């Protein structure tokens, strides 16, 4: 249950006028704002989810140069897409792009669906992305609600519910739809997002420069820090993991994770999470023997690399392992290769594996390159 957030017609009109003129003056010149091509807007919106504009820019330019349209993307291999995406994180976003492009080519003759239902039937497109494509590419009156918009609306209306909770989402989507200025949703949606990105920041919003400050309920009450309200957050569990950097001569074993699941399709050193694990002598040897079928010995330890995922705080213990015998079993992986360290950059790697590679470079492997 939720109560609709009141927004009078006068207030809506004032917000439209202030925010749209501010956006016309202050908006950043971004490559995806120079086009109304739904393909370009789709790629940018997927990349921008949970990621800042300055991080996205080089990835977007490379992606559009390599896959300039939906046909090029539909024909790409998963590895091609992941290689361009590597380092941007949240890899399920990248994995969904290709099947979505293939569906657009095969079922829609290469044209993007122009309805919310049609767009949301595509892999990886939810209510937010559908709203962004509909409003920005075609000027339809569709709302968006991302982290920036949630924060701005929560403060403007001093909304007393956690915006990420189910009732919070329902109330804010409803408000975002009621606030849409007819025929101007493309600029309005982007203006709200831009205000959140440039002025109404999570920490220290610059209210003095804010075009809607006169009507901002949180500012008027002197309670900007209180919004958005946060419900109780679950603590992310700490999980221990093991990573074996397995050498055979001058080459290292690189494996590709299965396509489905966390970091699917990316390359890494053989790694496993060990819940409830306490480090002890022999763990690395057991891991390599049991999971890879190789015999050998640990030559060095490279300490612990920490990486925080959405649902866990991983502490990865790194071991350098010299393979001296046995028969490699790598059936649990999508593919494997023995590679020289100079070849690492040919592979799409997760941010976690990049950290392991950096540690290896800094500390040396104990083996000859
Ligand atoms: Fe955000 Fe401050 Fe503007 Fe309110 S006045 S919308 S808190 S920047």
């Amino acid at each position: 249950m939720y109560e609709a957030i009141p927004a009078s017609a006068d207030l809506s009109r004032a917000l439209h006028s202030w925010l749209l003129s501010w956006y016309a003056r202050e908006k950043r010149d971004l490559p995806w704002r120079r086009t109304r091509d739904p393909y370009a807007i789709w790629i940018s919106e997927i990349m921008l989810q949970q990621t800042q504009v300055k991080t996205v820019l080089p990835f977007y330019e490379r992606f559009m140069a390599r896959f300039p349209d939906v046909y090029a993307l539909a024909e790409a291999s998963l590895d091609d897409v992941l290689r361009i995406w590597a380092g941007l994180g949240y890899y399920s976003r990248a994995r969904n792009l290709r099947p979505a492009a293939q569906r657009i080519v095969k079922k829609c003759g290469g044209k993007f669906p122009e309805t919310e239902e049609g767009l949301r039937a595509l892999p990886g497109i939810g209510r937010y992305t559908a709203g962004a494509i509909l409003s920005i590419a075609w000027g339809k009156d569709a709302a968006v609600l991302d982290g920036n918009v949630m924060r701005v609306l929560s403060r403007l209306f001093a909304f007393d519910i956690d915006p990420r909770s189910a009732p919070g989402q329902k109330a804010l989507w409803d408000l975002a739809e009621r606030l849409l200025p007819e025929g101007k949703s493309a600029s309005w949606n982007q203006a709200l997002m831009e205000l959140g990105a440039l002025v109404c920041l999570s920490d220290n919003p610059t209210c003095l420069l804010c075009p809607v400050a006169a009507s901002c309920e949180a500012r008027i009450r002197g309670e900007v820090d209180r919004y958005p309200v946060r419900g109780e957050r679950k603590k992310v569990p700490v999980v221990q993991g093991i990573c074996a950097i397995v050498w055979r001569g001058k080459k290292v074993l690189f494996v590709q994770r299965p396509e489905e699941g966390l970091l699917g399709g990316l390359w890494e050193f053989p790694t496993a999470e060990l819940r409830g694990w306490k480090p002890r002598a022999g763990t690395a040897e057991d891991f390599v023997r049991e999971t890879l079928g190789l015999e050998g010995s640990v030559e060095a330890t490279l300490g612990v690399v920490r990486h925080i995922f959405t649902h866990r705080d991983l502490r990865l213990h790194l071991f350098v392992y010299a393979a001296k015998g046995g028969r490699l079993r790598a059936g649990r992986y999508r593919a494997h290769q023995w590679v020289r360290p100079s070849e690492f950059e040919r592979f799409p790697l997760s941010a976690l594996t990049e950290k392991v590679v950096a540690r290896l470079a800094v500390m040396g492997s104990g083996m000859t390159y």
Side-chain angles (χ1 to χ4, degrees):
M1 281 290 291
Y2 76 98
E3 278 182 32
I5 304 166
S8 69
D10 283 351
L11 174 61
S12 300
R13 267 195 299 276
L15 292 176
H16 295 157
S17 160
W18 294 331
L19 194 51
L20 287 171
S21 35
W22 172 84
Y23 180 66
R25 271 192 330 269
E26 303 291 337
K27 69 178 171 192
R28 289 168 291 178
D29 177 26
L30 301 171
W32 48 86
R33 288 194 178 147
R34 294 177 211 138
T35 176
R36 301 197 76 169
D37 173 9
Y39 173 75
I41 290 159
W42 171 48
I43 298 299
S44 67
E45 288 299 338
I46 297 289
M47 285 188 170
L48 286 163
Q49 285 168 19
Q50 325 221 25
T51 314
Q52 291 191 341
V53 163
K54 69 173 186 307
T55 309
V56 164
L57 278 169
F59 287 91
Y60 175 82
E61 302 282 10
R62 277 201 297 275
F63 196 98
M64 293 303 286
R66 176 72 181 77
F67 311 114
D69 55 36
V70 73
Y71 294 98
L73 181 56
E75 283 170 12
S77 72
L78 176 65
D79 279 357
D80 283 344
V81 175
L82 289 177
R83 199 168 292 122
I84 302 278
W85 199 276
L88 201 50
Y90 301 99
Y91 291 92
S92 61
R93 296 180 301 173
R95 282 198 304 276
N96 282 328
L97 289 176
R98 218 171 41 111
Q102 288 165 347
R103 196 122 123 211
I104 292 168
V105 169
K106 279 195 198 128
K107 302 227 160 127
C108 316
K111 288 206 161 124
F112 271 72
E114 289 191 38
T115 62
E116 184 181 339
E117 303 72 51
L119 285 167
R120 290 182 69 179
L122 297 169
I125 296 193
R127 190 172 179 183
Y128 165 79
T129 312
I133 297 172
L134 289 170
S135 60
I136 301 171
W138 292 297
K140 299 203 175 193
D141 288 330
V144 296
L145 188 69
D146 68 350
N148 281 328
V149 178
M150 274 185 236
R151 186 168 60 258
V152 170
L153 294 183
S154 292
R155 286 173 174 166
L156 260 176
F157 290 84
F159 181 52
D160 273 316
I161 300 176
D162 182 344
R164 297 196 183 268
S165 67
Q169 284 280 296
K170 217 164 176 217
L172 287 177
W173 270 110
D174 170 60
L175 174 66
E177 279 172 351
R178 280 186 287 122
L179 282 179
L180 286 173
E182 209 181 322
K184 294 181 184 161
S185 298
S187 295
W188 172 253
N189 286 340
Q190 292 182 89
L192 277 174
M193 294 191 269
E194 195 78 334
L195 189 72
L198 300 181
V199 178
C200 193
L201 308 169
S202 304
D203 300 320
N204 304 319
T206 47
C207 301
L208 280 175
L209 302 176
C210 179
V212 292
S215 285
C216 176
E217 203 53 41
R219 191 198 63 82
I220 292 164
R221 294 183 193 178
E223 293 183 326
V224 169
D225 291 347
R226 212 180 134 220
Y227 299 96
V229 169
R230 288 185 205 287
E232 274 210 4
R233 294 281 148 119
K234 270 197 195 157
K235 244 185 131 189
V236 183
V238 173
V239 175
Q240 305 292 337
I242 187 168
C243 171
I245 301 156
V246 181
W247 289 77
R248 194 176 67 186
K250 294 187 173 179
K251 294 191 171 178
V252 185
L253 181 61
F254 236 21
V255 293
Q256 187 180 28
R257 293 176 73 100
E259 195 166 334
E260 298 303 323
L262 186 72
L263 309 180
L266 295 174
W267 289 78
E268 64 183 17
F269 305 101
T271 297
E273 284 184 11
L274 303 164
R275 284 172 198 272
W277 178 66
K278 293 215 171 41
R280 62 167 175 76
T283 303
E285 280 92 345
D286 290 351
F287 167 65
V288 175
R289 190 181 315 107
E290 286 165 22
T291 60
L292 301 168
L294 295 173
E295 298 291 343
S297 57
V298 170
E299 300 289 310
T301 57
L302 296 184
V304 178
V305 162
R306 183 179 181 198
H307 193 78
I308 299 180
F309 293 96
T310 323
H311 299 298
R312 55 190 166 292
D313 178 353
L314 178 65
R315 314 288 166 89
L316 199 60
H317 300 250
L318 311 185
F319 297 89
V320 174
Y321 187 92
K324 292 169 187 156
R327 196 187 162 98
L328 178 62
R329 287 194 311 264
R332 65 209 294 252
Y333 300 107
R334 191 164 181 257
H336 72 275
Q337 281 189 44
W338 291 94
V339 300
R340 290 176 187 277
S342 57
E343 297 172 296
F344 288 166
E345 63 185 29
R346 282 201 293 113
F347 296 85
L349 310 178
S350 65
L352 170 61
T353 304
E354 299 272 14
K355 285 184 190 173
V356 178
V357 167
R359 177 69 61 91
L360 191 60
V362 169
M363 300 193 61
S365 63
M367 307 287 286
T368 331
Y369 269 37

